[in-house]
Amino acid sequence: MAPPFLISWNITKRCNLRCAHCYLDSSELAGHSELPAKEAKKVIDEIAALNPDSMLILTGGEPLMRDDCLTLSAYAALRGITVVLGTNGTMLNDKTVGLMVKAGVKGVGVSLDSASPSYHDRFRGIAGAWEKTDAGIDILREHGMDFNIQFTVMRDNIAEITPVIEYSLKKGAKAVNIFFLVCTGRGQDMVDITPGQYEQVLTYLMEASRVYEKRIMVRARCAPHFLRIAFQKDPRSPLLGATSGCIAGTGYLRITPEGYVTPCPYIPAKAGNIMETGLKEIWENAEVFKTLRDKKYDGRCKECEYRDICGGCRAKALASTSNIMGEDPWCEYEPKGGGAVSVTEEDLVWTEEARERLSKVPGFLREMVKRGVEGYAREKDINKITPDIMAELKKRAGR
């Protein structure tokens, strides 16, 4: 069983904002549920033992509300783990970002709901939040800290996608990650975009990823249908190698502030508690993980010819049908039947020099980089991958 390459850890429920869609019902008084520093370091030891090449996302709540957030970051970095922070950006200042650099933080994901203050502040529940986040983003750039903008599409900000991409480009972000609301936690009673709007946004993002590819990466996240749409447009699309379907329970897990392990932040099913059972044991043997890996879908997902490259969002299926393997109700596609389609795998030759260069890519990114390079090679009708091809793709992606 391959270990997870991506782990998110809600190190606290505490937050200085009141976001309407938060999957954690957080409050500033919720700190009692956090793991103490000693136990938190044991969690990091467990992660390092399971996969020292993993990427660890420290998030919350607002992770910087924990006084030892950067102590934990430094401890994880010393264990060889790649550490990134997921933040609302309001607590980023010159001193804090400088300490983040020293603590070995490699990147930051900043949540932003609009390219202008009014909607963002209203949704985040605090006046002035947008201005603080905007200032924090400038400080990240000044310190040379790589950052992405994390944008969640909702009914009231769907028209903000392009302005946020343009804002992110102007600010120097490496990528804009477009997420889609899963109505859980505090957001369980919110009205999401319609399945039709979902399809329209994904279709737009596929085009946007092409238009902006040389300037900034634009990607749909937690949206497996993106792959089905890309395949329908072009079975040789490089996007099929640059992103993936749902990785909950197959390449990804999440740890709650109390130490519970779940397949992702939007799937509340508890696989075990890391304070009671080893993380390796949970990852390899918990029933919910085994279920997700079996990929025995129900409903339309079971019949869909795109089930192997898409598979639907398991969190949305669970939230809507109470069945983690049920059909994804936000997908409008009607299966045509027949066998499952797969990404074309022509024989590609990697030169020894190219393989050596690939081996230097961090383990948690290696397979994704490999798929991306091979997708690019197929797009260009190239059958031999060399370091020059890899460098060309890196330059094309602006990274």
Side-chain angles (χ1 to χ4, degrees):
M1 171 55 60
F5 58 83
L6 183 62
I7 296 171
S8 65
W9 181 12
N10 301 103
I11 60 174
T12 183
K13 287 183 179 178
R14 288 180 288 169
C15 190
N16 57 337
L17 301 182
R18 295 289 179 270
C19 307
H21 68 326
C22 185
Y23 57 83
L24 291 177
D25 189 16
S26 49
S27 72
E28 291 189 40
L29 302 178
H32 66 278
S33 63
E34 299 169 6
L35 295 177
K38 184 177 180 180
E39 282 71 19
K41 287 184 176 181
K42 289 181 181 178
V43 171
I44 294 171
D45 292 337
E46 292 263 2
I47 293 170
L50 181 60
N51 185 8
D53 290 328
S54 61
M55 174 183 281
L56 175 61
I57 305 170
L58 297 181
T59 184
E62 169 52 53
L64 292 172
M65 294 285 288
R66 265 193 79 136
D67 293 339
D68 63 350
C69 173
L70 298 184
T71 300
L72 297 177
S73 302
Y75 186 77
L78 287 173
R79 298 302 306 270
I81 299 168
T82 299
V83 181
V84 300
L85 290 185
T87 175
N88 61 44
T90 60
M91 297 182 68
L92 298 174
N93 54 48
D94 191 68
K95 178 181 178 181
T96 298
V97 176
L99 291 173
M100 287 165 57
V101 173
K102 291 180 180 179
V105 174
K106 295 301 183 183
V108 180
V110 183
S111 297
L112 194 75
D113 304 305
S114 172
S116 57
S118 58
Y119 175 81
H120 180 89
D121 288 1
R122 184 171 68 255
F123 186 78
R124 295 280 163 173
I126 301 291
W130 189 94
E131 290 185 358
K132 290 180 179 179
T133 298
D134 180 66
I137 289 170
D138 288 338
I139 293 170
L140 290 172
R141 183 175 58 189
E142 290 167 7
H143 281 264
M145 176 68 75
D146 287 346
F147 66 93
N148 298 336
I149 298 299
Q150 318 282 55
F151 176 84
T152 299
V153 181
M154 291 165 284
R155 183 179 57 184
D156 294 337
N157 72 345
I158 195 169
E160 285 281 334
I161 297 175
T162 300
V164 167
I165 293 174
E166 290 290 342
Y167 169 91
S168 304
L169 180 61
K170 179 181 177 182
K171 289 291 184 176
K174 293 294 182 180
V176 184
N177 292 320
I178 310 296
F179 289 85
F180 293 82
L181 180 67
V182 178
C183 298
T184 60
R186 193 184 295 160
Q188 63 186 342
D189 296 324
M190 294 184 66
V191 178
D192 198 0
I193 61 175
T194 67
Q197 289 173 318
Y198 188 40
E199 188 89 358
Q200 291 169 9
V201 170
L202 290 178
T203 301
Y204 166 77
L205 291 177
M206 187 180 67
E207 178 63 16
S209 67
R210 182 190 64 80
V211 171
Y212 287 96
E213 65 180 344
K214 294 183 179 180
R215 294 175 289 166
I216 190 171
M217 181 182 291
V218 178
R219 288 290 184 269
R221 299 299 184 191
C222 298
H225 311 171
F226 187 65
L227 294 170
R228 186 253 303 164
I229 293 171
F231 189 96
Q232 287 176 306
K233 185 173 180 61
D234 179 8
R236 294 162 57 87
S237 170
L239 291 173
L240 295 168
T243 187
S244 62
C246 180
I247 58 173
T250 59
Y252 177 45
L253 64 82
R254 170 259 194 147
I255 302 170
T256 75
E258 302 87 356
Y260 288 103
V261 178
T262 76
C264 90
Y266 305 108
I267 297 177
K270 296 175 181 176
N273 191 296
I274 202 169
M275 293 293 100
E276 301 170 358
T277 307
L279 185 59
K280 186 175 187 292
E281 172 69 19
I282 293 173
W283 174 253
E284 293 181 351
N285 296 309
E287 286 302 317
V288 66
F289 288 143
K290 289 182 178 180
T291 297
L292 288 165
R293 290 165 194 156
D294 284 344
K295 299 192 175 187
K296 294 179 179 178
Y297 305 118
D298 293 325
R300 285 180 298 136
C301 288
K302 178 181 179 180
E303 306 300 326
C304 185
E305 62 271 31
Y306 295 101
R307 57 188 176 272
D308 287 349
I309 64 173
C310 170
C313 174
R314 297 300 96 210
K316 283 184 176 291
L318 180 63
S320 301
T321 70
S322 299
N323 177 5
I324 199 169
M325 301 308 289
E327 69 179 37
D328 185 338
W330 263 257
C331 179
E332 287 193 318
Y333 181 75
E334 290 296 333
K336 302 296 189 297
V341 301
S342 60
V343 177
T344 303
E345 296 289 348
E346 290 109 341
D347 290 331
L348 294 172
V349 177
W350 284 73
T351 66
E352 183 176 344
E353 295 80 7
R355 288 191 179 279
E356 182 179 357
R357 179 165 178 161
L358 181 66
S359 71
K360 296 177 181 179
V361 175
F364 68 93
L365 286 175
R366 197 170 298 140
E367 184 59 30
M368 183 173 291
V369 169
K370 182 176 183 290
R371 293 200 309 264
V373 171
E374 291 181 345
Y376 178 69
R378 287 192 294 270
E379 179 190 29
K380 297 296 184 181
D381 291 322
I382 296 169
N383 57 21
K384 180 181 286 187
I385 296 173
T386 66
D388 288 343
I389 297 300
M390 299 175 74
E392 181 181 335
L393 178 58
K394 183 177 180 180
K395 182 179 180 180
R396 185 186 189 209
R399 292 169 290 159

